[in-house]
Amino acid sequence: MAAVNLIGSYNYALVALSVLIAMFASYAALDLAGRVTAASGWTRAVWLLGGAGAMGTGIWSMHYIGMLAFILPIPVAYHWPTVLLSLFAAILASLVALGVVSRQKMGWFRALAGSLLMGAGIASMHYIGMAAMRLAAICQFNSFLVVLSVVFAVLISLAALWITFHFRDEKTGIGSEKLVGAAVMGAAIPVMHYTGMAAASFTPFSMPMDLSHAISISALGTAGIVAATFLVLGLALLTSLVDRRLAAQTLEVQEEKLQQSEAYLAEAQRLSHTGSFGWKPSIGELIWSEETFRIFQYDRSTKPTAELVLQRVHPEDAALVKEIIERVSRDGKDFDFEHRLLMPDGAVKHVHVVAHALSDESGSIEFVGAVMDITAAKQAEQTLRESEAYLAEAQSLTHTGSGAWQVPAGDALYLSEEWYRIYGFDPKQGLSVWRDRLQRMHPEDRARVEETKDRAISEKSDYEVEHRILLPDGTVKYTHTVGHPVLNASGGVERFVCTMMDITERKQAEALRDGESRILERIARDAPLQQILENLVRVVEAQFAGLLCSVLLLDEDGQHMRHGAAPSLPKPYIEAIDGQCIGPKAGSCGTAMYRRQSVVVTDVLRDPLWEAYRSVAEPYGFRACWSTPILAHSGKALGSFAMYYREPRSPSPAETRALEMATHLAGIAIERKLAREERERLRQAQAELAHVNRVTMMGELTASLAHEVNQPIAAASTNANTCLRWLAADTPDIEEARAAAMRIVKDGKRAAEIISRIRQLFKKDSSQRELVDVNEIIQEMTVLLRGEIMRFNILVATDLAADLPKVIADRVQLQQVLMNLMINGIEAMKDEDGPRELAIRSQLAENEQLLVSVSDTGTGLPPQQTDQIFNAFFTTKPHGTGMGLRISRSIVESHGGRLWAEKNSQRGASFCFSLPTEGRGA
């Protein structure tokens, strides 16, 4: 009879209990996965092993309770070593599962591999567990259902891994989500078990069974397994809960610190204008900090991309930035560069970008870096450069160098470019030239300078010293140095900061001013022109080493050069130049006079202006010559001042200033000499004209003068006859004869005086000034013109102030002035009806000047022509020359006085002149 399979049944309470255990184990797996993921190092290993043990125990317990739920009509025992082996398989499968889901990433490959291993482990646990059954029956398996159970194990493992991985995060997996996940996993896991159980069939077997190491499980044993399972899972969950709370507290503290650190970092980034970024070139992902958004001026809601960065890059830097992005994306190397950003409002920012390349687990390159807004630094740097440039330019303009030197070593700490220039060193030589400066300090000044510095060090005080620098080419510079000590913490002198000013030009200017003063003094004393020009040349030559100067004068014909002064030039050269014609190519001097502008020839042997004079200059080594014309105020060329050097060169600013000064002084001296000569010619012409005027007037007064001379002659003749009669008497009357003779002598003297005055007016002597009495001259002119006065029936009234001071004047010229004014008054009244009165008055004015007025009652001044009567050749007389009043005014003004005319209140006119008295004129 064929064997009949045993019919089994299930204890549904135990089945439900196995499912509950599966769910509980699944929840524990989810919770433990989170702890394993959160842990690191040895803590991770502990959690991994402990979690695998707890989870494996739960899965094994579900499996064993499920087997116990299957009831056969025969007794069943279990081989406990095999049971333990199935427990080990469950724990190993759990270890694989936790290891997979606790990774940071779980790709499909890793998930499939994990699910295969976990499924194989669970299937192994199941069938090893079934192999532990000891019963009087043969166990057979349905191959299809076995395979199906294994497939279920793998698929359920894959689902379990996915659920566990996504719900492992304690922040997103707490509560209902984790419970739902555990329920799904708990319901799915028994499917594999009961499919495996369905694959088994049991046929009774009469052979005795091996019950060694086999045990039977009672209801109490089942309860113990369940209790132990819940205890293990409960302890695992309790431990996880405690650890989670501790971790949460730690995390809160860490998050608080992290938030504080992030706040500090954000504030630090804001204060330092430094943003941070992360960049994954492979996927184009960019992560910016808040400051980075602020630097690029994008809204926080904007997703940063490389394209947005390039939109802000300055057009001139775009190519560079693109090239760097492409290169680092390809090479994956660190980068560090600067570029500009052009903001929408047109503002330009400077940024410094630096990044470090990192490689993740997949080998992708990621950059972590910082972008710093260095606009302010760039502006400060630009301002600093400009300030340094301004300082260097200011030092160059003021010829002031600066430096610092150490005490006591004496080594230089800093030297400005202008310091190098003053000493004639190359800045590229560095600070070592500080020691070499002593060799260029004038030997006569070295000891004094060192003594001054030593005293400043010992006294911890400022120092100030002037000294000379002797350059290799023989040039001498004058410098003024000021130093200030810098003290250390202990009060000792640590270093000196100093400035050094090149005062060579000032010294030259002072010397030139002194020379200029001496030259002007000679000019004021009317020293000979030759002497003035030679002194001027020597003053200029003394200021510049190797300089030779000359002055050439332009001849009166305006065409030829004449020697003026050149004390240092060779005499043959002077003679060769003297008398040469000026022209467009007449060397430096002749061309300067011809053009009436400065001419600079830096190389005599090459310049075409010197072609005709090259043979003259070459024997004496003259190579450079610049000349400036000496011009009169009218612009007429008077000569030229020239500078010669025996090497090709251009004039320095100091030489140019000296040349301008010398030309100016030479012009003053020459013009003063010409003016003096012109004044002398004018004076002679005026004297000639005045003499002609006097002779003319004397010619017009011939009849009156003859009458004046005849009167004393006739009186002398009468007195002579009377004297003879007294002597011819029988008794000569000696007393009467003596009286007559005395009258003869008086009349003779009177005639001689009249003739003398007339002769003085006719004389053509040069002007001779002396102390004269103006009242006396008025009386003399009144007597001299008495004939004209009586002829026209004119009354002369004189009001002469007594005790008038004398004046320094030319007697004849004052006589001519009074004669002109008196004759003009007589002629103005001779044809007038009514009283004819000529009033002559002298007095002392308030300003201590002597005032003389001649008033008449004639026709008066011509209407609207009062200001013209003193002009040359203006006259109201039919036969007048128009020169009398003009000459009279010139004479009065040459004596320091003034001559003017006024209308009288009733009739006639008054002519007044003032003269300085002896005290004011001295």
Side-chain angles (χ1 to χ4, degrees):
M1 180 176 179
V4 180
N5 290 336
L6 297 174
I7 303 300
S9 62
Y10 282 96
N11 184 337
Y12 292 108
L14 292 179
V15 170
L17 183 60
S18 70
V19 174
L20 179 62
I21 291 172
M23 291 181 178
F24 195 17
S26 297
Y27 185 86
L30 292 175
D31 196 73
L32 292 171
R35 305 318 306 145
V36 173
T37 303
S40 61
W42 66 269
T43 308
R44 171 183 169 82
V46 171
W47 274 109
L48 186 60
L49 293 175
M55 181 178 171
T57 301
I59 294 174
W60 173 85
S61 178
M62 179 278 306
H63 161 73
Y64 205 71
I65 295 298
M67 289 183 67
L68 292 176
F70 184 70
I71 303 172
L72 288 173
I74 59 175
V76 179
Y78 292 91
H79 186 253
W80 64 266
T82 306
V83 172
L84 290 179
L85 183 60
S86 67
L87 176 59
F88 178 75
I91 293 174
L92 185 60
S94 299
L95 182 63
V96 171
L98 289 177
V100 171
V101 299
S102 63
R103 295 298 186 101
Q104 294 296 326
K105 294 182 179 180
M106 186 179 72
W108 281 109
F109 175 77
R110 183 172 291 170
L112 289 173
S115 64
L116 287 173
L117 291 174
M118 182 177 176
I122 293 174
S124 298
M125 173 204 68
H126 175 76
Y127 289 105
I128 291 172
M130 291 193 69
M133 296 175 69
R134 295 291 184 266
L135 72 169
I138 297 173
C139 182
Q140 296 177 337
F141 291 95
N142 186 323
S143 300
F144 171 75
L145 292 177
V146 170
V147 172
L148 183 60
S149 68
V150 173
V151 171
F152 279 157
V154 172
L155 293 177
I156 291 170
S157 297
L158 180 60
L161 290 175
W162 187 89
I163 292 173
T164 305
F165 181 79
H166 287 85
F167 288 108
R168 65 183 182 176
D169 189 351
E170 59 185 330
K171 291 186 177 180
T172 61
I174 294 176
S176 61
E177 293 180 350
K178 187 177 289 187
L179 289 175
V180 171
V184 172
M185 285 177 62
I189 291 174
V191 172
M192 178 268 158
H193 170 74
Y194 289 106
T195 301
M197 291 298 293
S201 62
F202 298 91
T203 304
F205 184 64
S206 59
M207 293 292 293
M209 54 183 176
D210 184 8
L211 295 178
S212 60
H213 303 296
I215 59 174
S216 296
I217 304 300
S218 63
L220 183 59
T222 302
I225 293 172
V226 172
T229 301
F230 278 102
L231 180 61
V232 170
L233 293 175
L235 287 174
L237 288 174
L238 180 60
T239 304
S240 176
L241 178 62
V242 172
D243 183 70
R244 180 182 290 108
R245 288 186 176 180
L246 291 175
Q249 293 176 357
T250 305
L251 185 60
E252 286 180 2
V253 174
Q254 290 177 344
E255 285 184 347
E256 184 178 350
K257 291 182 177 179
L258 179 60
Q259 290 175 355
Q260 190 176 30
S261 298
E262 288 178 349
Y264 289 156
L265 177 60
E267 184 64 16
Q269 287 191 353
R270 188 185 67 81
L271 292 174
S272 62
H273 305 290
T274 302
S276 57
F277 65 90
W279 176 39
K280 296 180 179 179
S282 59
I283 59 176
E285 182 183 15
L286 265 176
I287 301 174
W288 284 356
S289 69
E290 185 176 349
E291 184 62 21
T292 306
F293 279 99
R294 189 159 37 242
I295 291 173
F296 281 91
Q297 292 185 9
Y298 282 120
D299 189 80
R300 286 297 304 270
S301 60
T302 305
K303 182 179 179 181
T305 62
E307 289 70 22
L308 290 179
V309 172
L310 291 174
Q311 288 179 13
R312 288 285 193 262
V313 174
H314 196 284
E316 296 179 4
D317 298 342
L320 169 66
V321 175
K322 287 181 181 178
E323 189 274 330
I324 292 176
I325 290 176
E326 293 173 357
R327 174 168 51 81
V328 300
S329 299
R330 182 178 61 254
D331 300 340
K333 295 182 178 179
D334 298 352
F335 58 88
D336 186 345
F337 69 101
E338 294 180 4
H339 68 89
R340 292 168 292 173
L341 301 178
L342 183 59
M343 298 294 106
D345 60 358
V348 176
K349 288 184 178 181
H350 293 261
V351 295
H352 180 199
V353 183
V354 58
H356 176 62
L358 301 173
S359 180
D360 60 13
E361 296 177 355
S362 63
S364 299
I365 298 298
E366 180 180 1
F367 290 97
V368 177
V371 53
M372 291 164 278
D373 183 352
I374 58 173
T375 306
K378 284 290 185 181
Q379 291 173 346
E381 183 181 338
Q382 179 64 24
T383 302
L384 179 60
R385 283 198 297 266
E386 290 177 354
S387 299
E388 289 176 347
Y390 292 151
L391 177 60
E393 184 65 19
Q395 287 194 350
S396 177
L397 291 174
T398 59
H399 306 297
T400 303
S402 58
W405 52 277
Q406 200 172 26
V407 177
D411 296 327
L413 300 173
Y414 165 76
L415 297 172
S416 70
E417 287 192 11
E418 188 62 17
W419 185 94
Y420 286 98
R421 191 201 64 78
I422 293 174
Y423 266 101
F425 290 121
D426 187 346
K428 295 179 181 179
Q429 295 177 259
L431 300 177
S432 61
V433 299
W434 175 257
R435 296 287 183 181
D436 300 334
R437 84 193 189 286
L438 296 175
Q439 301 302 320
R440 296 195 174 182
M441 194 178 293
H442 198 286
E444 297 177 3
D445 299 341
R446 290 176 191 168
R448 178 170 51 84
V449 172
E450 291 302 312
E451 179 184 348
T452 301
K453 290 171 62 177
D454 291 342
R455 184 169 59 252
I457 293 173
S458 63
E459 297 177 358
K460 302 178 183 179
S461 63
D462 295 350
Y463 68 89
E464 186 172 353
V465 65
E466 289 188 4
H467 67 86
R468 291 165 292 174
I469 295 174
L470 184 60
L471 298 182
D473 62 358
T475 302
V476 176
K477 291 184 177 181
Y478 292 83
T479 65
H480 179 83
T481 301
V482 177
H484 176 72
V486 177
L487 307 182
N488 54 27
S490 61
V493 178
E494 183 177 276
R495 62 183 178 273
F496 271 89
V497 178
C498 62
T499 62
M500 181 174 64
M501 179 180 292
D502 183 351
I503 60 172
T504 305
E505 292 186 4
R506 190 183 79 187
K507 289 290 187 179
Q508 290 174 344
E510 290 174 356
L512 287 174
R513 280 198 301 270
D514 293 342
E516 181 181 15
S517 299
R518 294 193 299 272
I519 298 301
L520 289 174
E521 184 179 352
R522 285 187 170 86
I523 293 174
R525 292 204 310 262
D526 288 330
L529 181 62
Q530 177 75 21
Q531 181 186 11
I532 293 172
L533 295 180
E534 285 196 0
N535 277 276
L536 177 60
V537 166
R538 294 188 186 279
V539 167
V540 176
E541 287 179 341
Q543 307 311 311
F544 306 98
L547 175 63
L548 304 173
C549 297
S550 74
V551 178
L552 288 176
L553 305 178
L554 187 60
D555 203 349
E556 292 180 358
D557 61 8
Q559 296 296 323
H560 295 85
M561 298 180 286
R562 297 298 177 188
H563 171 65
S568 302
L569 291 182
K571 189 174 181 180
Y573 178 79
I574 296 173
E575 293 173 350
I577 297 299
D578 190 30
Q580 296 293 326
C581 288
I582 66 173
K585 296 178 66 175
S588 299
C589 299
T591 307
M593 288 189 236
Y594 179 80
R595 296 178 181 175
R596 288 187 296 179
Q597 63 183 26
S598 298
V599 172
V600 176
V601 174
T602 58
D603 193 345
V604 169
L605 300 185
R606 295 184 179 182
D607 198 293
L609 295 181
W610 277 78
E611 185 176 353
Y613 299 89
R614 198 165 292 150
S615 59
V616 179
E618 189 172 7
Y620 304 104
F622 298 146
R623 292 297 301 274
C625 177
W626 42 86
S627 179
T628 298
I630 302 171
L631 301 178
H633 285 90
S634 62
K636 176 184 176 183
L638 303 176
S640 69
F641 194 102
M643 289 182 168
Y644 292 86
Y645 277 100
R646 287 189 165 91
E647 69 273 354
R649 56 171 294 180
S650 299
S652 67
E655 290 167 337
T656 301
R657 289 192 293 270
L659 182 58
E660 292 173 353
M661 182 274 291
T663 304
H664 175 67
L665 291 179
I668 293 175
I670 296 171
E671 281 200 288
R672 185 177 177 88
K673 176 179 177 293
L674 295 176
R676 189 167 59 248
E677 293 175 350
E678 184 63 26
R679 285 197 302 272
E680 181 61 25
R681 287 193 294 270
L682 179 61
R683 189 195 63 76
Q684 292 178 358
Q686 287 177 338
E688 292 283 348
L689 186 60
H691 179 259
V692 170
N693 179 259
R694 291 197 300 273
V695 170
T696 301
M697 286 191 300
M698 296 301 292
E700 294 175 356
L701 297 174
T702 301
S704 295
L705 294 176
H707 174 73
E708 287 300 317
V709 172
N710 283 333
Q711 275 189 338
I713 293 176
S717 177
T718 300
N719 286 320
N721 291 327
T722 301
C723 180
L724 288 175
R725 284 199 303 272
W726 287 114
L727 292 175
D730 294 337
T731 303
D733 191 338
I734 302 301
E735 291 301 324
E736 290 292 338
R738 182 182 291 109
M742 291 295 293
R743 287 194 295 274
I744 293 172
V745 172
K746 182 178 180 182
D747 291 335
K749 287 183 177 181
R750 181 183 170 194
E753 287 176 356
I754 293 173
I755 293 172
S756 174
R757 294 190 189 110
I758 294 172
R759 287 184 64 190
Q760 285 179 356
L761 291 172
F762 272 101
K763 287 177 71 174
K764 195 178 177 181
D765 292 344
S766 58
S767 176
Q768 294 183 353
R769 298 191 180 188
E770 57 186 344
L771 283 173
V772 296
D773 185 344
V774 173
N775 286 345
E776 184 180 314
I777 294 176
I778 293 172
Q779 292 169 350
E780 289 175 353
M781 290 301 100
T782 302
V783 172
L784 192 62
L785 297 176
R786 187 164 53 189
E788 288 294 297
I789 292 170
M790 295 177 64
R791 175 183 172 190
F792 295 110
N793 194 25
I794 294 173
L795 174 65
V796 175
T798 58
D799 182 10
L800 307 180
D803 300 326
L804 282 180
K806 294 183 178 181
V807 298
I808 299 177
D810 185 299
R811 173 181 288 274
V812 174
Q813 290 181 349
L814 286 187
Q815 288 175 343
Q816 182 176 354
V817 170
L818 281 168
M819 182 185 293
N820 266 322
L821 299 181
M822 292 173 69
I823 290 176
N824 285 344
I826 292 170
E827 291 185 348
M829 294 184 291
K830 67 180 181 180
D831 297 327
E832 291 293 314
D833 297 331
R836 300 172 181 173
E837 181 177 346
L838 185 67
I840 304 173
R841 184 181 181 188
S842 68
Q843 61 181 331
L844 189 64
E846 293 180 357
N847 56 359
E848 298 185 4
Q849 287 204 341
L850 192 148
L851 179 63
V852 177
S853 62
V854 179
S855 303
D856 62 68
T857 57
T859 57
L861 298 174
Q864 300 179 350
Q865 293 180 325
T866 304
D867 295 335
Q868 301 180 26
I869 61 176
F870 292 101
N871 293 343
F873 306 113
F874 178 84
T875 181
T876 56
K877 302 176 185 178
H879 304 292
T881 63
M883 293 301 294
L885 286 176
R886 177 63 203 172
I887 292 172
S888 297
R889 170 172 275 185
S890 297
I891 291 173
V892 172
E893 289 179 350
S894 69
H895 284 75
R898 187 168 69 92
L899 172 63
W900 69 96
E902 298 173 348
K903 290 183 179 180
N904 292 340
S905 58
Q906 295 181 355
R907 293 175 58 193
S910 296
F911 285 84
C912 309
F913 67 88
S914 62
L915 294 172
T917 59
E918 179 184 356
R920 286 179 57 88

